[in-house]
């Protein structure tokens, strides 16, 4: 068992041993299991793996083959094992072999948590599961998701929720030990512009306010709310431009609606980097039925871009008073909030300062690693 006495110990975590380390002991071996979650989850696992390796922990990451190309886990010092994408017996077999000498398994997300629970059901290996997000899918998919959450919550030794509502959800599903453990999402890489205002020029927003969001291009849900809200912005002078980063199967149908209603919206498609767009944005929009520590919201506040967001999930907890919050599913409230913000430069300036201040209060990557290590040490001591 290795000790990490120099690491910060959050008060909510159990006290850790202060005994001297055993220099002959083998390093702790932790398996990080990623189930193909969001970009934020993958970036967190990469950051966590690098921090653990730097502190003497042996880390193996199991994920879809594409995850290694995207995040570079081996460059962070971890061993990478490709895991089949589907939840199948072969996937369980690969994970079982990967965990043969593991001291602890840390799964991220529901699919990874379920695979780990199936693999470890007859093994006395502690299982930590981080809940990064939740599904809002309706009908049968919602019921299947609830069954998965119930199984994962009851199988995990400890559930870590990135927001308080996820902790409450885990407890409602029977988690024995559920704790709040906010994660630090690495800041997006800042790219230098070749020319000033190049992005604004390409979007036709040199002399117009630029609104930035990201969304999956489907005709129901959040983007439908955004497009309906955009009707109110047609009357503004100058008329703003809403740039939407993201792709999806219904782009053509959405573009037809935009053209038919003459909405000031640009669908930018695959490969567009929302973080890069934020560099030139006047206002950022996060419109979601549920969100936790949304990368778009966090990057907007870091950059001092005024944010209008739906008051759902963990968003109020993350942004505090540093954003304008509106109800989900109310395009009138969204349209009015954006219009009012565009007309009030002093308020935008106050939100910009408040956003940077709020971002400075969030956990850092180092404190996130320290919190996770405290949990690992506690579970190793129990064993």
């Amino acid at each position: 068992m290795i000790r990490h006495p120099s690491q910060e110990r959050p008060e909510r975590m159990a006290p850790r041993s202060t005994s001297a380390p055993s220099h002959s002991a083998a390093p702790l071996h932790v398996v990080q299991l990623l189930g193909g979650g969001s970009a934020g989850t993958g970036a967190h696992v990469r950051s966590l793996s690098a921090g653990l390796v730097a502190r003497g922990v042996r880390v193996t990451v199991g994920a879809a083959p594409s995850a290694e190309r995207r995040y570079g886990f081996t460059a962070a010092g971890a061993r990478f094992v490709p895991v089949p994408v589907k939840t199948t017996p072969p996937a369980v077999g690969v994970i079982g072999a990967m965990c043969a000498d593991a001291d602890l398994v840390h799964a991220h997300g529901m699919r990874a948590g379920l695979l780990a629970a199936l693999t470890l059901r007859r093994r006395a290996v502690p299982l930590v599961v981080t809940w990064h997000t939740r599904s809002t899918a309706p009908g049968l998919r919602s019921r299947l998701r609830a069954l998965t959450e119930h199984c994962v919550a009851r199988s995990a030794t400890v559930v870590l929720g990135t927001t308080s509502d996820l902790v409450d959800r885990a407890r409602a599903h029977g988690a024995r030990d559920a704790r709040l453990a906010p994660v630090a999402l690495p800041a997006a890489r800042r790219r230098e512009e070749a020319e000033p205002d190049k992005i604004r020029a390409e979007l036709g927003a040199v002399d117009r306010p630029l609104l930035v969001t990201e969304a999956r291009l489907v005709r129901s849900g959040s983007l439908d709310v955004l497009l309906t809200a955009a009707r109110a912005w047609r009357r503004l002078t100058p008329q703003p431009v809403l740039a939407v980063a993201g792709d999806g199967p219904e782009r053509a149908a959405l573009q037809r609606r935009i053209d038919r209603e003459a909405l000031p919206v640009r669908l930018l498609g695959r490969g567009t980097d929302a973080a890069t767009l934020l560099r030139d944005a006047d206002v950022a929009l996060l419109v979601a039925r549920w969100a936790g520590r949304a990368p778009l919201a966090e990057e907007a506040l870091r950059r001092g871009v005024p944010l209008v967001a739906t008051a759902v999930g963990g968003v109020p907890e993350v942004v505090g008073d540093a954003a304008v919050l509106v109800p989900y599913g109310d395009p009138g409230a969204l349209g009015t909030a954006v219009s009012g913000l565009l007309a009030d430069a002093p308020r935008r300036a106050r939100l910009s300062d408040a956003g940077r201040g709020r971002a400075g209060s969030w956990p850092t990557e180092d404190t996130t690693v320290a919190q996770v290590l405290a949990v690992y040490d506690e579970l190793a001591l129990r064993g």
Side-chain angles (χ1 to χ4, degrees), residues 49-50 53 58-61 68 72-80:
S49 297
V53 169
R58 184 160 65 97
V59 177
T60 299
V61 176
E68 168 61 13
F73 298 112
T74 54
R79 171 177 172 248
F80 179 77

Side-chain angles (χ1 to χ4, degrees), residues 138-150:
L140 178 60
R141 290 177 62 189
S142 176
R143 293 192 290 273
L144 291 174
R145 177 76 173 195
L147 288 173
T148 300
E149 290 178 339
H150 186 76

Side-chain angles (χ1 to χ4, degrees), residues 43 46 69-72 75 185-193 273-279 299 302-303 365:
R46 205 277 186 191
R69 295 191 296 272
R70 184 170 187 179
Y71 300 108
L185 299 181
R189 292 182 181 179
R190 308 292 175 94
R191 299 175 185 173
E192 295 298 326
E193 255 185 26
D273 182 5
T276 299
L277 294 175
L278 284 172
R279 180 178 50 213
E299 187 63 18
R302 285 193 187 103
R303 291 177 180 267
E365 292 182 68

